Amino acid sequence: MREYAVIGGGIGGCSCAALLNASGKDVVVFEKEPYLGGCASTFERNHFAYNAGATTFCGYSEGRVVKKLFNQVGVVPHVIESDPAIVVIQGEKVIPRYKDIERFINVLNVHYPHPKHYEFWHLIKNITTEFYETDGYYYSNASWAQKLYSLRTFYPLLQKFWNYLFRDAKSFILHFYANIDPDFLDFLDAQILIVTQAKSDSINFLNAALALGYTFESNYYALGGMGKVCESLTENIADVRLSHPITKIEKLKKGFRLSTSHYEMDVKNLIMGTSHFESSVWFTSDKIKKYYRRYTSLNNHQSAFVLYMNIPNTQEFYHHYQIISKITFPYTISQSLFVSISDPRDTELSRNNTLSITASIHTNTSYWLGISDTEYKERKEILSRLIEASICDTLSINKDTILRSFAATPKTFGRYLNRTQLGGVPMNRSNFLPFLPSNDTPIDGLYQVGDTSFAAQGWPGVVMGSFNLLRLLDE
Ligand SMILES: Cc1cc2nc3c(=O)[nH]c(=O)nc-3n(C[C@H](O)[C@H](O)[C@H](O)COP(=O)(O)OP(=O)(O)OC[C@H]3O[C@@H](n4cnc5c(N)ncnc54)[C@H](O)[C@@H]3O)c2cc1C
């Protein structure tokens, strides 16, 4: 019987498999697709390569959780620094989020002059630094006793950030600035949404500060695509099975029996790297299905619409832009587009003297599922053309030079990654930690990693969850 099987080779599956492997454990990874990465993968279409979703690599500064992961696993990802981490464009205003706080505040003061900026952004930076320097807490779900015991380890965090935990971010910001330009609030809200999956009126100020503060840390661009980073993580694992979807999982007296369409394998411990909201479908056990159903209410059905494009490499761009428009795009829930453009030095993504673009926007699954094929195609077409136009207008790209463009909807993500909800559990105030899924479960030998379980979405959040799991397994 194998010791550990990890189902799903996204950031969660790859990072915990790599940590287990580095600690000498026997581990096998099953990934449905022919490549690793999931939402953070890089795929090929018609001989060109595109990042499927994630494009920014953060948490990789010295002492931070993603850096710790790579150090522990003993591999180095092929990345270059992005500074500014993003360039926010709001109408005529172009505001690069420089890592250097004074440089950023100087630009901000040109567009949104305010005497409180210095104090506000230094507070954001200090909270971010202090948060990531706080260590030692962990979260378990195996039993109520374990849960309560683990929650005690959050005491240092609670002590430090008490003032920010129980205040909603919007009222904190309005009170702090006293008089605030509504466009400046949109500027903040758009950035908060991409990290926390929620707006400032529904999250606490601590989460808002972390969402606004990550640009003061080092941020990186993954050469060869984000999928390469996941590949590098697993390069020392002997048994990574690509194009091996798991079709059924049975609970045995001791362990689990996994089925693919070709064979069965028995394992002692099972780590699900698939979305919490979809994981139950493969299990035959009612008890396990019931466990997953406990968290159904956390599924907010939020998702992403992503447009992929190629343009000729004739202009200079930054790696990442956030374009904030005045109106909410149709069939979406957002006014802002996140646009990433490949670096010309990237021989994989910028093939044949072209640049590869991944542009994403928040949407809701209800706009895309359960509608007729005609309606679906029509919506896809309308939104694709609007996004194309917005990118071309804002970044002065001649629309006629677009070489190819195609889009992914929540339905597309469902087909490829077996998930339609994207972005994990939003960090809003109603999603309170004791009620969130942990990386262990009350079922013997069953574990869960990824952005729908502790700690959060994105590289730092998902990797924190994998470390949490390793700690729980060590106990
Ligand atoms: C559009 C978009 C942009 C984003 N941008 C960023 C960003 O710039 N930076 C950042 O840090 N984060 C970003 N994120 C968030 C980040 O990508 C996710 O939080 C993270 O990738 C989730 O990883 P995961 O391991 O939880 O799940 P997933 O990525 O969903 O991985 C699950 C894996 O399981 C596989 N799988 C499913 N079913 C089976 C099965 N039956 N058998 C075997 N395998 C199976 C899937 O194919 C997939 O590979 C973005 C997310 C989206 C959607």
Side-chain angles (χ1 to χ4, degrees), residues 6-14 30-33 35-41 52-58 194 197 226 241 244-247 272-275 282 303-306 320 338 340 358-361 413 416-419 422-424 449-452 456-460 462:
V6 176
I7 315 297
I11 298 175
C14 288
F30 290 90
E31 167 52 48
K32 168 184 174 291
E33 289 300 304
Y35 43 78
L36 294 169
C39 295
S41 60
T55 49
T56 51
F57 186 57
C58 45
I194 46 169
Q197 312 305 317
M226 196 58 90
R241 303 183 184 201
H244 271 62
I246 293 298
T247 52
M272 299 302 289
T274 49
S275 156
W282 298 291
S303 193
F305 181 94
V306 188
H320 310 288
F338 195 82
S340 297
T358 297
S360 58
I361 187 161
F413 282 98
Y416 286 99
L417 306 184
N418 276 336
R419 65 184 291 183
L422 297 171
V449 288
D451 63 9
T452 49
Q457 68 120 20
W459 274 98
V462 174

Side-chain angles (χ1 to χ4, degrees), residues 365-429:
T365 55
S366 61
Y367 288 122
W368 305 98
L369 306 178
I371 54 172
S372 71
D373 279 358
T374 322
E375 183 65 23
Y376 175 80
K377 280 187 192 136
E378 209 173 284
R379 290 182 181 190
K380 205 170 162 183
E381 184 63 19
I382 291 171
L383 187 53
S384 298
R385 297 297 79 82
L386 281 172
I387 292 176
E388 249 176 48
S390 172
I391 295 173
C392 290
D393 288 352
T394 314
L395 301 181
S396 307
I397 298 169
N398 178 350
K399 236 162 92 176
D400 300 332
T401 63
I402 296 175
L403 299 164
R404 60 188 69 71
S405 109
F406 57 97
T409 70
K411 195 171 170 180
T412 324
F413 282 98
R415 193 163 67 238
Y416 286 99
L417 306 184
N418 276 336
R419 65 184 291 183
T420 54
Q421 195 275 0
L422 297 171
V425 179
M427 299 173 176
N428 59 30
R429 280 173 299 132

Side-chain angles (χ1 to χ4, degrees), residues 109 113-122 175-179:
N109 265 324
H114 202 292
K116 298 280 272 187
H117 279 328
Y118 183 89
E119 198 186 333
F120 181 76
W121 291 99
H122 276 273
H175 184 256
F176 192 97
Y177 274 102
N179 59 329

Side-chain angles (χ1 to χ4, degrees), residues 139 141 144 147 294-295 298 430-437:
Y139 180 46
N141 219 0
W144 270 103
K147 195 189 274 254
R294 267 172 39 188
Y295 296 106
L298 295 175
S430 40
N431 293 338
F432 198 50
L433 191 57
F435 305 105
L436 297 183

